[in-house]
Amino acid sequence: MDFTEKLEAYLSDSNTNPKKCESKILLGDTNVAVNLSDNSTTGEYLRILESCNMFVTNNVVTRPSSGNILDHVVCSESLLSSVTNKTIPTDASDHSVGITTLFFNQPRSVQLLNKKITNQHQLNTELGVALLSIPLVTDANGKIRYIIEKYEEIKNRATRTITVEAKVKAHCPWMSVDVWQLMSTKDKLLKASRRNPSDQRLKDLLKQASKKLNDKKRQCKRNYYFKLLQTATPKKSWKVLNEILGINSKSSSNTSLLVDGRTINDPLQAADCLNDFFCNIGHNLASELNSDKDICKFGTLRSHFPSLFMRPTTVEEIIVLINNLNTNKAPGPDKIPASTIKTHHLAFAQILKDVFNEIIETGAYLEALKIARVAPIFKPGDKSNPSNYRPISTLSTMNKILEQLISSRLTNFLEAQNLLTNRQYGFRKGCDTLTATGELLEEVYCDLDNRRYSGALFLDLKKAFDTINHELLLKKTRNKRGKGICPTFAEKLPLKPSAIYFLVWH
């Protein structure tokens, strides 16, 4: 009984762990006579295998003296057609010799692989001309839309599609030109390394090529399955998800959302539900909080302090921010990468200077830059519960530059007016968790030296930023007892995005 329990635990773990969800083969002398179907142990053994979609492939007696099949070759259902067995009697043992052949050679077929190639020189040249041709009468919102539309138009014009014929395995529908070329490069390096086993340079190049190939394979697989999920019906979606996770279609495992007692399987509907959840969770939680609406409950607001002056920006300031952009970061919904903005830094700096100065003059943030591309990332817990997902937002690179301009002015004002407590460690230059930890330890050691007790209470506020009462926040920025922080601009700051859409649903 101990054997069957351990076997079931192992196979169950293999089926639920994505890293182990591969085709499996078990073989050996299990001492369970599978030809005796009336035996309780045999029945339990076969039930466990069948529940995990595994089957005994040999049906010939392996121990002639007892007439039983005790030596088993067990494999996953997906491998049944690839396994053949042969049993040969021998005098060397009371068990027969078993020979198992595995046919893993996949048939190759010729596929037409397509790849889009963008002429970066043409793209940069035409975009540079377009950035210098922005109509002078266009407002800030129009300028941003003009850039986004022109970039997409020019990129489509500068992009061409090449087609190559490649012999690939039948189980590689995600194959691309880049993967095919990297595989050819790796094969050449592998052959050269085998001919010259002492050449360290070839070994290093082979290692680099293998890493690039594996990374590219993962990327192509992800893109391929994502496109399938976008157009698939609910039934097809589950089939694709099971294929990705290595779960047999007969498995009872699934990943669906449970919203208001309703089970949602369609990926697009699930994305909409998560979208609504992320947009409304802050308001819903805040509505449950009791507040007396006192903006100076703890006496932290001064009776008078100067108004915040939003200093206009300059081309030089924006160029510094552009040069500090990380080109490895993904572009936002406008698809304009940081590398393109760096290439045309002078033109973008002039345009963003005019845009930012118009923003602080009118007190209105641009609608085109309030859109985020959001991916829900699963946290531990029940996968069907929307609260167990956290949103990761990707914003436009141009928006990030404008945010840094606003952030630098707000930070300078708050620090110059000494409005932040010294115990504010987060989101401040020169302060981090290490600073907070160091000061906490300092106080604990001081109490220990003076024979005093130390106690600490750690709070993790649920959806702290989402539940901020915007009405009270705006009242604090206006601060009617003093002049406040530029009330017109404060009322129109992008406290929350006007639109959110999902491109990824895990």
Side-chain angles (χ1 to χ4, degrees), residues 17-35:
N17 189 337
K19 294 183 179 180
K20 298 180 180 179
C21 281
E22 300 176 354
S23 299
K24 298 179 287 293
I25 296 178
L26 301 177
L27 49 89
D29 179 9
T30 61
N31 210 27
V32 177
V34 293
N35 54 310

Side-chain angles (χ1 to χ4, degrees), residues 306-318:
S307 296
L308 166 63
F309 172 66
M310 279 284 182
R311 172 176 52 83
T313 188
T314 62
V315 171
E316 291 74 19
E317 182 183 13
I318 296 181

Side-chain angles (χ1 to χ4, degrees), residues 50-75:
E50 187 176 355
S51 67
C52 297
N53 293 304
M54 298 191 70
F55 303 89
V56 179
T57 61
N58 54 316
N59 54 10
V60 178
V61 172
T62 61
R63 191 183 183 192
S65 60
S66 64
N68 293 325
I69 304 175
L70 302 179
D71 305 280
H72 306 158
V73 179
V74 183
C75 72

Side-chain angles (χ1 to χ4, degrees), residues 190-236:
L190 181 60
K191 292 177 181 178
S193 179
R194 286 174 177 173
R195 290 194 299 267
N196 303 277
S198 60
D199 192 332
Q200 185 60 39
R201 176 177 167 276
L202 284 176
K203 291 181 180 179
D204 293 339
L205 290 175
L206 178 60
K207 185 177 180 180
Q208 293 176 10
S210 299
K211 183 179 184 304
K212 287 183 179 179
L213 176 60
N214 291 332
D215 292 343
K216 198 65 181 178
K217 279 183 177 180
R218 282 193 293 269
Q219 180 185 351
C220 288
K221 286 181 182 180
R222 183 168 59 247
N223 294 339
Y224 169 76
Y225 287 116
F226 174 66
K227 289 179 181 178
L228 282 183
L229 289 173
Q230 275 188 314
T231 57
T233 60
K235 184 177 180 180
K236 179 68 174 177

Side-chain angles (χ1 to χ4, degrees), residues 286-356:
S287 63
E288 299 175 3
L289 303 176
N290 295 323
S291 173
D292 55 10
K293 309 297 183 182
D294 183 4
I295 64 173
C296 195
K297 189 170 186 176
F298 301 100
T300 55
L301 283 182
R302 300 179 184 177
S303 57
H304 297 281
F305 60 85
S307 296
L308 166 63
F309 172 66
M310 279 284 182
R311 172 176 52 83
T313 188
T314 62
V315 171
E316 291 74 19
E317 182 183 13
I318 296 181
I319 288 178
V320 173
L321 296 177
I322 291 176
N323 290 333
N324 291 333
L325 288 175
N326 186 349
T327 54
N328 293 325
K329 298 292 185 180
D334 56 21
K335 301 180 183 179
I336 301 178
S339 57
T340 298
I341 296 179
K342 281 192 169 186
T343 301
H344 303 282
H345 60 278
L346 290 176
F348 271 100
Q350 181 62 49
I351 294 170
L352 292 178
K353 184 206 76 168
D354 296 339
V355 168
F356 179 75

